[in-house]
Amino acid sequence: MRIALFVTCVNDLMFPDTGKAVVTVLERLGHQVEFPLAQSCCGQMHANSGYREEALPLVANFVKTFSAYDAIVAPSASCVAMVRESYPRLAPSPSVSAVAERTYELSEFLVDELGVTDVGARFPHRVTYHPTCHGLRMLRLGDRPRRLLEAVEGLSLTPLSGAEECCGFGGTFALKNPGVSGAMLADKCAAVVATSAEYLAAADNSCLTHIGGGLSRGSSPVKPIHYAQILASR
Amino acid sequence: MSGNVVTRLPFPVAARRELGDEQLRRNLRKATHTIRDKRLRVVGEVPDWEPLRVAGAAIKDDVLARLPDLLEQFEAAATAAGATVHWARDAEEACAVVAALVQATGTAEVVKVKSMATQEIGLNEALEAVGIHAVETDLAELIVQLAEDTPSHILVPAIHYNRTQIRDIFASKMADVDATTLTDDPPALAEAARRHLRSRFLSTKVGISGANFAIASTGTLAVVESEGNGRMCLTLPETLISVVGIEKLLPTFADLEVFLQLLPRSSTGERMNPYTSLWTGVTPGDGPQTVHIVLVDNGRTDTLADPVGRQALRCIRCSACLNVCPVYERVGGHAYGSVYPGPIGAILSPQMSGEGANRTLPYASTLCGACFDACPVRIDIPQVLVHLRQSGVDAARGRPSAERTAMRTMSYVMRDRRRYAAALRAARRGAAPLRMVAGRRGALRRLPWPLSAWTSVRDAPLPPKQTFREWWAREHSS
């Protein structure tokens, strides 16, 4: 099986450690990972903001870059949702659907395709998990990330109240409606702080940047972390 | 004229105004969370909820596909049963028809059943202009009317008030209430409203309603409600005028089975609503002897023409999407400007009227998807929001826009491997001097416009010293 890592543009520039973590976990499980350098951005921001015309070349680039692979794995629920749910609507064609169907969010790939929940990680910390909207309601990740985290040695998972509520990021929404976004963020941060967890884990670094920015502004010691990095720890 | 579906202020401006009201936000949070929890409980009891949603969507899609035929079928059946059917292209025409019908009876006061269609066309204001006073008899609508306010929710138009505020409105605006003894105890408030309305029910000669459903094969109208005020208005007056959107049709009586399960559970979080009234034209010697039905288009045909957007016409006005929406919860209904607020309003109002500030409504969402999950007729609201954003962007092509320039530039850079890698390097290097500003926390507290919107309430992170692809290239260079 040829596995490609789709790291996503946000992770490439801002969170390289998340990409490294995916490589570490998959190699630990005995798989070889390739990183096709022609990859860039999935075009989610363009498409969700209404710029279909600008998104289409990025869709084409993604399909061309990844069509040779058996599985495309990404550490981002919202980018995978873009590829799997929105690509076939934006650019309907058999080649687009074929690549879209083989694109997995990391927890889907580990749990469903590899049949693994214990990836041999150790992380002796209190962690709370925020299920991001696109992972929850577009990909229906369900309890996959939680099962992976629960299998990590030493990790104690504390429940987050109002976990299923949006953090207020919403891509350009945070810039177009900063007040509403900030009000949602304040409630999310309060819920995170109330867990007294050391780490806030999620499947999307974009949402974590938003919540993390709110936590940092409020001088909270809770550290945002992509759950892939927890799975890579030992 | 489109009636009360056109917002005057752009959503971000109106939202900022509403956000300033902390009492409002507390009221909304309490109310929406209460209904949200109730809905989840009663929906969870239904083993075939998902098939019911699919059935609801399919029946409505069938109606929309055959709308002209079904409307004519409805008109013929209702007419045969003794009703008079009128057609109105827009809000203005609908108001004129109703005003003329009321004037012909010679009465100066009408009682009203809670109805979104009449709020949409601005009927109360239009009647007032010709000297006819419309009395709202639904408790929450009465509160809004007495307060000289506008509704802020589809089901609970006074959701923005708490009981103390309602007590104060009653004490100052109800002539027949003793302001010195009235408490904010809900039964006491309901009793005050009941006394205030009872004489109206018994004396008023014209009732005005909307309809939740209109059965094409029989010409029957249906109203579901909780308080019994509707039943009074539908049975006691001599004349009944019902204002009905053309998308309210169901093909047959049997289709009600699906919707009478979907609507109450989604709307009030009840297994069944207390009152369901059904009437077919005139029944001699029983109920209103003159029955009029005004079928209103007001932008619905335009909405129907859009293959993606038309699913908004499946809406049965349950308001489940409002109650689960994190944006609605923070700003309330008035921020949306239209009588249709929340997620459904953000796709319905701009389609019914593409005017001015309505174009900002499709952006009033994080696309979190909670609305789609709650919708009993499976309207994919996030999909329609994105679709409407796309139509807006496409319509504005040719006019200069900083956002479009940025989007085009990013698309141009990102579609090519070398340009993209160079841009990542540039971003990483460009951020290097900012590390000194960021200090030990490694985060920025202030950025220039337009990113100042980000740093207004959150810190911004800095890129690390190496991008992922630089790390990968170094690791795999040998």
Side-chain angles (χ1 to χ4, degrees):
Chain A
M1 179 164 55
R2 281 188 80 191
I3 304 172
L5 167 65
F6 169 48
V7 77
T8 80
C9 62
V10 167
N11 289 328
D12 199 344
L13 177 66
M14 302 297 294
F15 304 97
D17 287 348
T18 301
K20 294 175 204 169
V22 177
V23 176
T24 303
V25 171
L26 291 176
E27 285 181 351
R28 189 194 291 155
L29 295 171
H31 297 276
Q32 209 188 338
V33 183
E34 296 178 51
F35 180 75
L37 282 160
Q39 65 180 277
S40 62
C41 165
C42 67
Q44 183 187 182
M45 188 182 65
H46 298 86
N48 282 354
S49 305
Y51 293 84
R52 177 175 181 270
E53 204 174 281
E54 285 76 5
L56 286 177
L58 302 176
V59 175
N61 185 57
F62 185 96
V63 172
K64 195 171 138 214
T65 305
F66 289 107
S67 58
Y69 294 91
D70 301 308
I72 301 118
V73 182
S76 164
S78 74
C79 300
V80 172
M82 170 68 190
V83 173
R84 223 164 57 204
E85 305 297 316
S86 305
Y87 273 21
R89 269 203 301 244
L90 273 173
S93 89
S95 61
V96 169
S97 294
V99 171
E101 281 162 18
R102 299 200 303 271
T103 305
Y104 304 92
E105 190 278 332
L106 177 64
S107 71
E108 295 175 315
F109 188 68
L110 294 174
V111 175
D112 301 344
E113 299 304 307
L114 302 182
V116 179
T117 47
D118 185 348
V119 298
R122 185 171 178 280
F123 194 74
H125 298 284
R126 286 191 311 280
V127 176
T128 192
Y129 181 77
H130 168 62
T132 54
C133 297
H134 291 177
L136 187 68
R137 285 178 282 261
M138 284 184 85
L139 297 183
R140 310 277 172 196
L141 293 182
D143 63 357
R144 291 180 187 85
R146 207 192 67 218
R147 281 159 66 197
L148 289 163
L149 289 174
E150 280 171 350
V152 172
E153 190 192 326
L155 185 147
S156 86
L157 202 57
T158 56
L160 177 66
S161 84
E164 300 194 349
E165 285 171 37
C166 178
C167 72
F169 172 53
T172 51
F173 177 83
L175 300 178
K176 286 182 195 284
N177 288 286
V180 188
S181 169
M184 290 160 70
L185 175 62
D187 290 344
K188 182 57 74 181
C189 287
V192 170
V193 169
T195 63
S196 69
E198 298 159 77
Y199 288 91
L200 167 69
D204 283 276
N205 275 326
S206 48
C207 307
L208 280 175
T209 302
H210 184 242
I211 309 174
L215 290 168
S216 158
R217 180 62 58 91
S219 301
S220 158
V222 186
K223 292 179 280 288
I225 186 171
H226 194 287
Y227 80 88
Q229 288 165 239
I230 295 178
L231 300 185
S233 306
R234 62 192 320 181
Chain B
M1 188 184 122
S2 321
N4 296 328
V5 294
V6 185
T7 178
R8 278 190 295 276
L9 288 175
F11 180 81
V13 176
R16 207 175 306 136
R17 178 194 68 204
E18 300 298 319
L19 271 174
D21 186 344
E22 296 209 358
Q23 178 68 53
L24 170 74
R25 217 180 320 160
R26 277 195 299 274
N27 296 352
L28 283 171
R29 184 179 170 82
K30 183 161 187 287
T32 55
H33 281 253
T34 305
I35 314 181
R36 205 183 283 184
D37 295 345
K38 259 177 92 177
R39 188 194 77 87
L40 275 179
R41 249 193 334 267
V42 298
V43 162
E45 298 172 347
V46 184
D48 59 346
W49 185 253
E50 286 310 314
L52 270 176
R53 289 176 78 208
V54 172
I59 294 168
K60 278 292 185 181
D61 283 349
D62 172 45
V63 166
L64 296 174
R66 301 191 283 140
L67 195 56
D69 288 348
L70 292 175
L71 282 168
E72 285 180 8
Q73 208 181 320
F74 175 82
E75 182 187 31
T79 307
T84 309
V85 176
H86 310 259
W87 300 83
R89 240 176 239 110
D90 55 21
E92 204 164 35
E93 263 188 31
C95 287
V97 169
V98 178
L101 289 171
V102 178
Q103 281 175 319
T105 68
T107 187
E109 188 169 271
V110 298
V111 283
K112 279 189 69 198
V113 186
K114 175 174 168 23
S115 137
M116 289 312 297
T118 61
Q119 289 286 5
E120 171 194 320
I121 62 173
L123 183 62
N124 292 5
E125 300 92 307
L127 291 178
E128 213 67 61
V130 294
I132 299 161
H133 180 56
V135 180
E136 293 288 354
T137 66
D138 170 85
L139 179 55
E141 287 287 0
L142 176 67
I143 294 163
V144 170
Q145 189 179 37
L146 289 173
E148 295 171 50
D149 197 356
T150 54
S152 71
H153 189 279
I154 291 173
L155 173 75
V156 200
I159 196 169
H160 53 295
Y161 292 123
N162 66 19
R163 61 197 222 188
T164 312
Q165 293 168 306
I166 293 165
R167 184 251 158 225
D168 294 344
I169 293 165
F170 279 14
S172 65
K173 302 280 182 160
M174 266 184 192
D176 40 9
V177 78
D178 182 356
T180 54
T181 56
L182 183 67
T183 69
D184 67 358
D185 189 28
L189 295 173
E191 184 59 23
R194 197 171 280 136
R195 283 177 194 283
H196 178 77
L197 292 171
R198 187 58 53 123
S199 60
R200 261 76 177 215
F201 288 134
L202 294 172
S203 62
T204 308
K205 299 207 168 359
V206 178
I208 294 183
S209 81
N212 293 97
F213 307 104
I215 311 299
S217 62
T218 59
T220 305
L221 293 181
V223 162
V224 300
E225 45 130 2
S226 298
E227 296 170 15
N229 64 301
R231 179 67 58 80
M232 300 267 203
C233 295
L234 297 168
T235 53
L236 292 172
E238 292 164 7
T239 301
L240 175 60
I241 306 167
S242 303
V243 181
V244 183
I246 53 172
E247 87 288 15
K248 289 281 146 195
L249 288 180
L250 296 179
T252 68
F253 225 88
D255 297 316
L256 276 176
E257 183 226 347
V258 170
F259 290 92
L260 292 181
Q261 293 183 75
L262 288 173
L263 181 54
R265 287 180 198 259
S266 301
S267 168
T268 50
E270 292 170 304
R271 296 184 179 118
M272 198 179 162
N273 51 290
Y275 295 89
T276 300
S277 302
L278 299 146
W279 69 102
T280 308
V282 175
T283 304
D286 184 14
Q289 295 300 295
T290 308
V291 170
H292 293 279
I293 302 167
V294 185
L295 293 168
V296 185
D297 185 328
N298 201 35
R300 287 163 175 80
T301 303
D302 294 341
T303 308
L304 187 60
D306 184 324
V308 178
R310 68 168 63 126
Q311 57 185 301
L313 295 176
R314 290 183 201 150
C315 176
I316 54 173
R317 311 289 188 256
C318 74
S319 63
C321 64
L322 278 61
N323 299 330
V324 299
C325 177
V327 175
Y328 178 89
E329 182 190 328
R330 283 10 181 248
V331 299
H334 290 154
Y336 296 80
S338 156
V339 291
Y340 300 115
I344 186 65
I347 62 168
L348 206 47
S349 312
Q351 295 199 89
M352 292 173 74
S353 166
E355 289 173 48
N358 272 16
R359 293 195 203 103
T360 62
L361 292 173
Y363 296 92
S365 165
T366 62
L367 307 178
C368 84
C371 48
F372 179 33
D373 277 9
C375 179
V377 286
R378 292 184 56 87
I379 302 170
D380 190 341
I381 295 177
Q383 186 204 357
V384 180
L385 287 166
V386 169
H387 171 72
L388 294 176
R389 291 175 185 186
Q390 203 175 293
S391 316
V393 166
D394 288 341
R397 281 187 197 277
R399 261 174 279 157
S401 143
E403 184 182 274
R404 194 174 53 249
T405 307
M407 290 284 181
R408 287 178 73 156
T409 308
M410 268 192 286
S411 172
Y412 174 76
V413 168
M414 284 169 155
R415 77 186 66 155
D416 176 87
R417 172 182 161 177
R418 268 174 306 243
R419 286 200 291 265
Y420 176 63
L424 287 185
R425 264 197 314 276
R428 172 176 59 67
R429 287 194 189 130
L434 292 172
R435 275 197 199 94
M436 315 236 320
V437 186
R440 280 179 50 206
R441 53 208 264 138
L444 295 168
R445 297 192 71 108
R446 275 176 76 179
L447 286 169
W449 186 89
L451 294 174
S452 52
W454 180 273
T455 48
S456 60
V457 285
R458 14 176 144 58
D459 291 349
L462 277 167
K465 292 185 174 125
Q466 195 181 40
T467 64
F468 179 82
R469 63 183 54 224
E470 286 167 337
W471 171 81
W472 181 273
R474 212 154 292 174
E475 287 283 303
H476 297 81
S477 58
S478 50

